[in-house]
């Protein structure tokens, strides 16, 4: 989702950049307005997760030689807006009884994958249907394209290095690598981006139907959040039932975020669909420890509104 999680500074506001085609208005694609997720008593919990992810990334990507590679990699990694999927990965791990440290490499890898996707999507080209991003482009498009390519395998390397024979987690790490590559590749986020360009931002289409927006959001934000939640449960030692419950929860929440970002919260048909997805997401949390669910997820999937 898009996709900036500003809890990292203790601010419970989720700003989500919109990606409409400015040259061809679509009646379902609205101009950007910041999307706010209101957090109640658990905002410090989400802030602590994001602080730990950021610290893990800074340790993994220091500015070092060769500077021509690591300076732009560091810049692009931390210039990409925060996304809720990495934090969801850690929360899912803790929900099933795992320690936070087990999920931090996967959460960091998810952020790196998203940062690479964001970098490629917002290359500083002179001719593009994408609106200009708010990040500062201090490198040329050729460098950003190449470094975006480098960030993705680095994310997988970071995750692979978390394999610890002493913890007997090799099978879980391998499974998570497969989950992330599938969700961020041609079956997930890349497909979602392609579908958006071809269906919702093509000059051959006058508008996008809400079901097309739902499908797009399922493949981009839905796939990323479903993967994140499932990976957290896998690394936390969850059962297969718990893993699939978290996967579905992440899918529903990701779809909600993606659709509200693209359509807006006042669309009548969307309100009905969002309510259905919220109910489905809530149902997936049944059977987990109620105290943990209340502490971790009490506000994550609700209270979506425009600021």
């Amino acid at each position: 989702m898009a996709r900036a999680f500003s809890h990292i500074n203790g601010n419970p506001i989720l700003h989500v950049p919109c990606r409409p085609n400015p040259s061809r208005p679509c009646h379902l694609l609205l101009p950007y307005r910041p999307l706010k997720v209101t957090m109640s008593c658990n905002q410090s919990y989400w802030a602590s997760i994001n602080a730990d992810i950021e610290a893990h990334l800074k340790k993994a990507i220091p500015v070092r030689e060769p500077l021509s590679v690591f300076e732009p990699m560091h810049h692009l990694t931390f210039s990409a807006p925060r996304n809720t999927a990495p934090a969801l990965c850690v929360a899912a791990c803790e929900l099933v009884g795992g320690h936070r440290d087990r999920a931090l490499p996967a959460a960091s890898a998810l952020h790196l994958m998203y940062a690479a996707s964001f970098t490629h999507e917002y290359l500083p080209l002179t001719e593009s249907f994408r609106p200009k991003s708010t990040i500062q482009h201090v490198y040329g498009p050729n460098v950003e394209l190449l470094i975006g390519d480098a960030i993705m395998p680095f994310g997988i390397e970071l995750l692979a290095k978390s394999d610890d024979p002493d913890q007997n987690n090799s099978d879980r790490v391998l499974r998570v690598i497969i989950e992330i590559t599938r969700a961020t590749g041609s079956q997930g986020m890349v497909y979602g981006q392609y579908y958006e360009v071809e269906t919702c931002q093509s000059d051959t289409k006058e508008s996008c139907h809400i079901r097309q927006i739902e499908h797009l959001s399922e493949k981009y934000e839905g796939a990323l959040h479903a993967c994140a939640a499932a990976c957290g449960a896998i690394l936390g030692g969850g059962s297969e039932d718990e893993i699939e419950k978290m996967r579905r929860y992440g899918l529903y929440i990701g779809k909600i975020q993606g659709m509200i970002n693209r359509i807006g919260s006042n669309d009548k048909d969307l309100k009905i669909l969002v309510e259905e997805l919220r109910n489905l997401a809530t149902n997936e949390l049944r059977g987990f420890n109620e105290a943990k669910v209340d502490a971790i997820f009490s506000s994550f999937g609700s209270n979506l509104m425009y600021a």
Side-chain angles (χ1 to χ4, degrees), residues 39-56:
M39 294 293 176
S40 54
C41 61
N42 61 355
Q43 71 179 41
S44 61
Y45 173 78
W46 294 99
S48 70
I49 290 179
N50 280 288
D52 286 345
I53 294 172
E54 183 175 41
H56 190 87

Side-chain angles (χ1 to χ4, degrees), residues 88-98 102-103 172 175-176 226-247 288:
L88 178 58
C89 177
V90 175
C93 176
E94 294 188 329
L95 181 63
V96 300
R102 294 183 184 179
R172 289 195 294 269
R175 184 174 175 181
V176 166
C227 169
C231 288
I234 291 168
L235 293 167
S239 66
E240 288 302 316
D241 182 59
E242 290 174 328
I243 292 168
E244 293 310 312
K245 279 178 174 288
M246 292 312 304
R247 186 192 307 280
F288 290 102

Side-chain angles (χ1 to χ4, degrees), residues 87-138:
L88 178 58
C89 177
V90 175
C93 176
E94 294 188 329
L95 181 63
V96 300
H99 192 277
R100 180 173 298 191
D101 289 347
R102 294 183 184 179
L104 285 175
S108 298
L110 284 164
H111 175 78
L112 288 169
M113 293 298 184
Y114 174 74
S117 174
F118 186 87
T119 297
H120 286 158
E121 191 170 344
Y122 290 95
L123 288 172
L125 303 176
T126 55
E127 294 183 4
S128 174
F129 60 78
R130 299 291 187 191
K132 292 183 178 179
S133 68
T134 58
I135 67 172
Q136 182 180 5
H137 294 285
V138 298

Side-chain angles (χ1 to χ4, degrees), residues 266-284:
N266 295 322
D267 185 90
K268 182 179 179 180
D269 292 334
L270 178 64
K271 287 182 178 179
I272 296 173
L273 183 55
V274 164
E275 187 61 29
E276 292 175 354
L277 291 171
R278 280 179 177 161
N279 290 335
L280 289 171
T282 300
N283 288 337
E284 296 301 335

